[in-house]
Amino acid sequence: MPLEIKGQIERVTYFNEENNYTIAKMKVPGRVELITVVGTLFSVTPGEVLKLSGYWETHPRYGEQFKVISCESVLPATVKGIEKYLGSGMIRGIGPVMAKRLVSKFGDGTLTVIEQDIERLHEVEGIGEKRIAMIKKAWEEQKDIRDVMIFLQGQGVSPAYAVKIYKQYGKDSVKIVSENPYKLAMDIFGIGFITADKIAEKIGVPRDSQVRVEAGILYTLHQLSDDGHVYYPYEPLIRKCSEILKVEESTVPYALDSIASENKVVIEEPATRNSQPVIQDVKAVYLTKFHVAELGIASRLKTLFTFPKQLRLLNIDQAIEWVQKDLKITLSVRQIEAVRDSVNTKVMVVTGGPGTGKTTIINAIIRIYGKMGQKVLLTAPTGRAAKRMTETTQYEAKTIHRLLEYSPANGSFKKNEENLLEADLIIIDETSMVDTILMYHFLKAVPPRATLILVGDVDQLPSVGAGNVLKDIIEGGSIPTVRLDEIFRQSRESMIIVNAHRVNNGQMPILNRDEEHRQDFYFFTIEEPEIVLEKILHLCKERIPSQFGYDPVNDIQVITPMHKGVVGVSNLNYELQKELNPGTDELMRGGRVLRMRDKVMQIRNNYDKDVYNGDIGRIARIDREMQELKVDYDGRLVTYEYAELDEIMLAYAISVHKSQGSEYPVVIMPVLTQHYILLQRNLLYTGITRGKKLVILIGTKKALAIAIKNDKPQKRYTLLKDRLINSMQ
């Protein structure tokens, strides 16, 4: 029979947000030393009094522990307990200092005052009307959140999500979750179909119910779009949904037709495309927004391409001669071709690897258009890419989101087909990173009279979002494309650039080391992941800073193909944080520790905060009283509430995909056969090209050879190329 104990939580030593597994130290009356309690608890706070049911067990390593079966929260009764409870940061507006003042004034009646007579807080020094309102709101929310948490705990949901659910639905949370738990997957970042499905199962939603199958199809299509697919073939989709949902295949088509009738998906028959050639001569199933976007890109590119050119330059040769003198450069034959095309055509692509002169072309074209009095706009998909474009051209470049003036209030771009951009020439850099949805919104805002130039490296990894837009536009064959493949003399001195091109051409990089001269490209042969990890830590902390003078956090970026494993993103961040930022001013959220000065990355677009997927900053402040954390992004402070911290992750190490569009002074990248499934030529090439001054690969030649040989990137289902071929005929 379970035992019951009652005590006060002194500290939480571990909490796993995924499953609520908690290890905490508790003060129990009658015991001199703190006891260890372990088990599934909802969000517990130091100072909180708990009534626990469970049993004692002896762990072979950690000794005596109380294994929790069930848990009930009881408000603390002692002055010390109340102070610890309020000072833990659970009530916004009350930190350790304010908690001390409150209990000094009201003693063991403090919680009763907050609950029943909150205006009395005026009697405490430093508390004004504004703070009382904040504390009142937080106290009431905390009670409501606790009710939601208790309900959700019964459904197996993490407390971190309970706060988000409450923020989204307020007091209706329990009602909405009970009626349709699948709504969570659509409405709340971080809660996917799997979590919603567990709740549905607990509250008795049948496995083959139509609401579940419909939600499951949408979930599957969203997952496939995360893998890069703009659509998915009908029959394989039916099979995939059946496997994921563990239902009969026959139940899926009916549910699919139902969500198609509600315009949530589009099922397109092969005949309606009338394309030559057809990639997949089968039915294509799209989430509606992707279908609209793909059709829209093809249609708008055609409109742009066929609209009469406004710029009339009488003597292009004279202009090219002038711009070479103005910039003090000599353009190559291919570069001259690109400049000519920019004057003669409405839409064009410039693609090529590092050191092939893409920036020189952009500068020449900007100068010629500027000389003709034309308005030029420059843009790129990420903040870092836009910043680099500004530095290399001396013209202001904006991110696409800023250029299109995203409005968080109504969730749309202010610049669109009804409010066009003001421009004669628009140049996008790093176009390989632009996905289907963003390209569609961008093209809607481009005035038909404008000239559009798409610049990028088509051999890099495709966009993180769905589609393969730059590749499809090039392969569509109708848009003039200048492919630069000649490495310029000054760039040939860089082994980073030479080896990037060798990899891209299917050749092994040059790995012989000249010990007498400092190089910019190194390869260390190490096979065991544990020793690779040791090498990375040594390079970051000691060797590179002492030998080359680079800052270990700001200048060095570790990038890796994997998320899991010894040299995956998660473990590398854990180990690098320990070595490079071992401070004690920290915040524990779930299983993660965030410290002052930590290097972090935003992992989703947040238009309200004006920070985007891939932006890197440093933690500048942890405010426990206000339950906020501030991150410095290149001099701009962005505030996160505790409930929003799943939007950032440590960024001492990041995935190769997350590094796209950025350059770093130093790149370190493990390349091991354990990464076999991810070893692809475009991944290795993208990794190498992120480094500006120094690139270090650590691993085996066998793994390098596997990656270089694997020139078959994962297929992405997209019909943009076909639509362009059709529309441009």
Side-chain angles (χ1 to χ4, degrees), residues 119-148:
E119 289 303 316
R120 284 197 63 197
L121 296 191
H122 280 299
E123 298 170 27
V124 179
E125 183 199 344
I127 295 191
E129 206 60 58
K130 194 174 173 188
R131 190 178 291 238
I132 287 177
M134 186 192 294
I135 293 170
K136 185 180 179 184
K137 182 169 182 268
W139 182 260
E140 287 171 358
E141 275 186 2
Q142 199 62 36
K143 286 199 304 181
D144 289 336
I145 289 168
R146 181 55 61 106
D147 291 341
V148 173

Side-chain angles (χ1 to χ4, degrees), residues 411-441:
S412 61
F413 294 102
K414 288 181 185 172
K415 293 292 181 185
N416 51 38
E417 61 269 57
E418 289 166 12
N419 181 24
L420 297 168
L421 292 164
E422 281 292 320
D424 301 299
L425 169 69
I426 305 176
I427 302 177
I428 305 187
D429 200 9
E430 296 286 358
T431 312
S432 63
M433 294 182 66
V434 182
D435 61 35
T436 301
I437 299 292
L438 187 56
M439 182 58 84
Y440 170 59
H441 284 296

